[in-house]
């Protein structure tokens, strides 16, 4: 937000600079999924190196427990629950961030940066849902949101269309195989996972995911055509990373911003053969290894281009982890003692910490002290204003209403935590974290994610209050602390109502 109150950090006098900024954004990578965060059975040497050269956060949060709302919030600085149509998006959703909105990419573009987006998008394309012509330039795409260049997947790897989109047009479009997409009905004569399981030579679903088949894997949604433009899942990481490295090389002599959003470790997990079997956790572990490889390639490119010192790298994930997310990939049986959440309760979709507490590593040699760990409470909602502060951009009045400049936290120069962070579960139940407390508002949703993932949602008809300094959300102490419940609830109410005058009163002390 343009006028900061409440959680605004005190003004710093730092001069704006123009380092390159690379945001590495994993998909469904849990708080405990990296070796430097205590992962078992899998090694992540490249991410470990990033951590040893940067600042590792142990209390950092995504704004939501699923992809679309989390990405929306991070890229716009507005909580997704304020805006209808921001739930997990279909592959034929229209563009959810509208061209007139000021985005993270606009921050950089307005300072003359080259801006690029790579990999998972999942925020819609084209002007209207279901009305895209996938065989022509799309009517709205990332060029309208501040990205000069983009090479992306429209939604997720488990949703059609299974093609890359380059600058708003299907990459390698095959005129012999025009593309049609529907999330309502199948196209005549096209096989589906449900009716033709014999065609699923790469992976079978465990729930849902039984519609169109691409590359021997059935997906969500129906698709026809694509021909040589169709992706092969085993090459997705290579393809995204190649394009990202080419972008870096092309812009090595000018400042650039790169949003590098991996498909790993989302389902269907189908990593390249060369990453297979390097751990005992099966494809979920292999996907973590593949993610680490992608990070290593970006870091190696920075080194060889001589850009390491002048590049701020931020690594994180869009939401917490899930083990069985709808494909029969034996991820659960093979965990072998590994805890993807690192012992946190819940997981992806959940109001509990496992849903939104994510790894965050920040590296900027010479500016961020290396090899340090911090428990400073931070949220991705603040990254837009923090990046604007970094490069000296004034965010237009009314834009990024929920984002505050917390650059000092990110760079490790200001250890005072954000007084509170707000998190959205899959059904939009809101939770509020402070350094000490976790409040989950009453919710009537089911206690377990209903489609087989076995994740605790954290929904309960009564208010929940946990002292996270004592246990991992196991003992609800709401009845013992009605005053704390009332205070945290009123913050949630005020954020909902955008009552920032009241919020200023809640500048909690770090002990709360
Ligand atoms: C769910 C999918 C899940 C995943 C999720 C979105 C089923 C049964 N489950 O509906 O597989 O795609 O949506 O994940 O279809 S996210 O990380 O992109 O938010
Ligand atoms: Ca995700």
């Amino acid at each position: 937000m343009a006028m900061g109150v409440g959680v605004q950090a005190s003004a710093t006098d730092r001069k704006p600079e123009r380092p390159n900024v690379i945001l590495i954004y994993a998909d469904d990578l849990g708080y405990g999924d990296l070796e430097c965060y205590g992962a078992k059975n899998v090694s992540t040497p490249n991410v470990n190196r990033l951590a040893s050269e940067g600042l590792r956060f142990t209390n950092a949060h995504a704004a939501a427990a699923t992809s679309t709302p989390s990405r929306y919030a991070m890229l716009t600085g507005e909580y997704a629950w304020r805006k209808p149509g921001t739930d997990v998006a279909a592959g034929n959703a229209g563009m959810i961030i509208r061209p007139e909105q000021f985005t993270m990419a606009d921050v950089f573009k307005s300072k003359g940066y080259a801006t690029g987006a790579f990999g998972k998008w999942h925020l819609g394309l084209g002007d209207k849902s279901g009305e895209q012509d996938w065989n022509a330039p799309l009517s709205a795409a990332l060029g309208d949101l501040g990205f000069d260049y983009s090479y992306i997947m429209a939604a997720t790897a488990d949703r059609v269309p299974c093609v890359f989109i380059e600058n708003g047009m299907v990459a390698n479009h095959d005129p012999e195989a025009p593309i049609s997409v529907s999330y309502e009905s199948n196209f005549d004569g096209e096989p589906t996972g449900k009716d033709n399981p014999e065609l699923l030579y790469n992976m079978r679903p465990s729930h849902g995911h039984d519609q169109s088949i691409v590359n021997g894997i059935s997906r969500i949604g129906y698709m026809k055509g694509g021909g040589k433009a169709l992706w092969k899942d085993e090459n997705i990481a290579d393809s995204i990373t190649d394009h990202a490295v080419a972008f870096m090389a092309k812009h090595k002599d000018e400042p650039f911003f790169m949003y590098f959003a991996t498909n790993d470790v989302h389902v269907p997990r189908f990593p390249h053969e060369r990453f297979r079997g390097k751990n005992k956790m099966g494809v979920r572990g292999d996907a973590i290894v593949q993610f680490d490889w992608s990070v290593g390639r970006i870091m190696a490119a920075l080194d060889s281009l001589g850009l390491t010192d002048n590049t701020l790298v931020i690594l994180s994930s869009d939401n917490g982890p899930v083990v069985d997310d709808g494909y029969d990939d034996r991820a659960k049986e093979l965990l072998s003692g590994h805890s993807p959440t690192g012992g946190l309760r819940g997981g992806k979709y959940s109001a509990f910490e496992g849903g939104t507490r994510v790894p965050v590593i920040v590296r900027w040699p010479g500016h961020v002290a290396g090899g340090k760990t911090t428990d400073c409470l931070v949220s991705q909602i603040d990254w837009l204003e923090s990046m604007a502060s970094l490069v000296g951009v004034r965010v237009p009045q009314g834009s990024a209403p929920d984002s505050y400049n917390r650059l000092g936290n990110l760079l490790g120069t200001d250890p005072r935590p954000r007084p509170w962070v707000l998190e959205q579960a899959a059904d939009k139940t809101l939770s509020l974290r402070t350094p000490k407390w976790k409040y989950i508002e009453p919710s009537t949703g089911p206690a377990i994610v209903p489609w087989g993932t076995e994740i605790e949602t954290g929904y309960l008809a009564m208010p929940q209050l946990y002292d996270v300094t004592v246990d991992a959300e196991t003992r609800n102490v709401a009845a013992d602390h009605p005053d704390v419940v009332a205070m945290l609830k009123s913050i949630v109410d005020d954020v909902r109502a955008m009552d920032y005058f009241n919020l200023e009163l809640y500048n909690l002390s770090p002990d709360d």
Side-chain angles (χ1 to χ4, degrees):
M1 58 187 300
M3 295 249 309
V5 289
V7 293
Q8 180 77 46
S10 59
T12 46
D13 289 335
R14 54 192 319 288
K15 280 212 188 79
E17 302 179 57
R18 295 209 305 169
N20 307 308
V21 175
I22 299 181
L23 182 49
I24 300 175
Y25 209 53
D27 197 355
D28 296 0
L29 186 77
Y31 179 73
D33 272 330
L34 296 165
E35 199 177 9
C36 52
Y37 278 87
K40 286 208 180 95
N41 311 327
V42 64
S43 54
T44 55
N46 294 300
V47 181
N48 297 353
R49 177 188 152 204
L50 200 68
S52 72
E53 295 171 357
L55 181 59
R56 189 174 68 87
F57 288 77
T58 59
N59 204 2
H61 298 256
T66 55
S67 160
T68 301
S70 184
R71 288 161 202 260
Y72 177 88
M74 186 189 64
L75 292 173
T76 66
E78 176 183 48
Y79 293 122
W81 44 263
R82 292 200 195 284
K83 175 152 169 156
T86 51
D87 288 328
V88 173
N92 66 347
M95 204 158 73
I96 295 171
I97 306 176
R98 302 310 299 175
E100 63 274 17
Q101 284 181 271
F102 191 80
T103 69
M104 175 91 85
D106 287 320
V107 167
F108 292 101
K109 196 170 166 60
S110 65
K111 276 285 167 178
Y113 276 59
T115 53
F118 302 84
K120 176 170 173 174
W121 178 239
H122 210 189
L123 286 163
L125 288 167
D127 201 38
K128 286 216 173 79
S129 294
E131 291 185 16
Q132 298 89 347
D133 177 354
W134 298 96
N135 305 292
L138 291 159
S139 56
L142 280 68
D144 302 302
L145 303 179
F147 288 104
D148 303 325
Y149 177 78
S150 56
Y151 183 79
I152 54 159
M153 306 158 72
T156 57
D158 61 345
R159 285 174 175 76
V160 302
C162 299
V163 291
F164 287 104
I165 318 274
E166 186 171 26
N167 293 334
M169 172 79 205
V170 170
N172 301 319
H173 182 261
D174 187 346
E176 307 290 310
I179 298 170
S180 317
V181 171
S182 168
Y183 274 71
E184 277 162 15
S185 53
N186 195 15
F187 299 97
D188 279 352
E190 294 296 311
T192 62
K194 185 163 183 277
D195 296 334
N196 308 86
E198 75 283 1
L199 298 180
L200 301 177
Y201 55 84
N202 275 331
M203 193 166 297
R204 287 166 185 257
S206 60
H207 34 260
H209 301 111
D210 59 357
Q211 298 175 338
S212 285
I213 301 174
V214 175
N215 194 30
I217 301 174
S218 49
R219 322 268 169 169
I220 306 172
Y222 301 101
M223 165 176 197
K224 183 179 171 159
K228 65 182 170 60
L230 293 172
W231 69 49
K232 286 210 180 303
D233 299 73
E234 54 272 45
N235 296 333
I236 290 176
D238 278 294
S239 188
I240 294 171
T241 312
D242 281 349
H243 282 80
V245 168
F247 174 85
M248 292 163 69
K250 183 169 178 201
H251 299 288
K252 67 179 170 34
D253 296 324
E254 57 183 322
F256 62 80
F257 165 63
M258 187 165 97
Y259 174 55
F260 181 71
T262 67
N263 168 52
D264 295 313
V265 298
H266 198 278
V267 296
R269 304 171 185 121
F270 202 74
H272 192 269
E273 218 175 70
R274 67 188 192 281
F275 303 110
R276 300 277 179 136
K278 295 235 157 42
N279 71 96
K280 56 180 174 186
M281 296 195 290
V283 286
R284 188 169 188 282
D286 298 338
I288 296 174
V289 173
Q290 182 168 267
F291 171 73
D292 183 70
W293 168 86
S294 299
V295 174
R297 266 205 76 196
I298 302 289
M299 292 168 74
L302 285 175
D303 290 343
S304 70
L305 295 167
L307 299 177
T308 301
D309 287 351
N310 189 32
T311 301
L312 170 64
V313 178
I314 305 176
L315 179 146
S316 193
S317 177
D318 67 338
N319 53 252
V322 52
V323 181
D324 179 350
D325 207 17
Y327 286 96
D328 185 9
D329 60 7
R330 304 194 60 229
K332 187 180 169 212
E333 296 89 309
L334 296 172
L335 276 178
S336 318
H338 170 66
S339 168
T341 63
L344 301 175
R345 193 166 178 188
K348 178 176 178 176
Y349 310 110
S350 175
F352 286 131
E353 286 287 279
T356 45
R357 206 198 300 180
V358 287
V360 169
I361 298 169
V362 177
R363 183 187 78 169
W364 187 15
H367 297 262
V368 174
K372 295 235 158 62
T373 296
T374 176
D375 63 359
C376 183
L377 180 64
V378 295
S379 169
Q380 294 175 3
I381 192 74
D382 293 330
W383 290 359
L384 191 149
E385 278 286 356
S386 301
M387 292 301 104
S389 163
L390 174 77
V391 299
V393 166
R394 187 190 147 90
V395 172
Q397 194 84 47
S399 297
D402 300 305
S403 187
Y404 292 84
N405 171 18
R406 308 287 311 180
L407 183 63
N409 290 161
L410 266 187
L411 302 183
T413 52
D414 180 356
R416 287 167 304 168
R418 197 189 212 274
W420 49 265
V421 306
L422 191 72
E423 307 160 340
Q424 167 183 351
D427 80 342
K428 296 195 178 70
T429 295
L430 300 183
S431 308
L432 198 83
R433 255 305 302 267
T434 72
K436 179 179 172 69
W437 300 110
K438 169 75 171 268
Y439 164 72
I440 306 177
E441 68 179 358
S443 165
T444 53
I448 304 283
V449 175
W451 57 83
T453 64
E454 299 177 5
I455 291 175
E456 289 184 294
T457 58
Y459 307 154
L460 192 73
M462 287 150 34
Q464 294 171 79
L465 181 72
Y466 298 97
D467 182 341
V468 287
T469 64
V470 171
D471 60 45
E473 296 172 289
T474 46
R475 210 165 73 85
N476 180 5
V477 295
D480 305 335
H481 300 279
D483 49 331
V484 178
V485 170
M487 178 181 66
L488 300 182
K489 177 184 182 302
S490 69
I491 296 178
V492 173
D493 291 345
D494 287 346
V495 176
R496 266 212 178 89
M498 295 188 97
D499 192 341
Y500 289 107
F501 174 75
N502 264 344
L503 280 173
E504 200 165 8
L505 305 176
Y506 298 117
N507 237 324
L508 307 173
S509 87
D511 300 333
D512 294 322

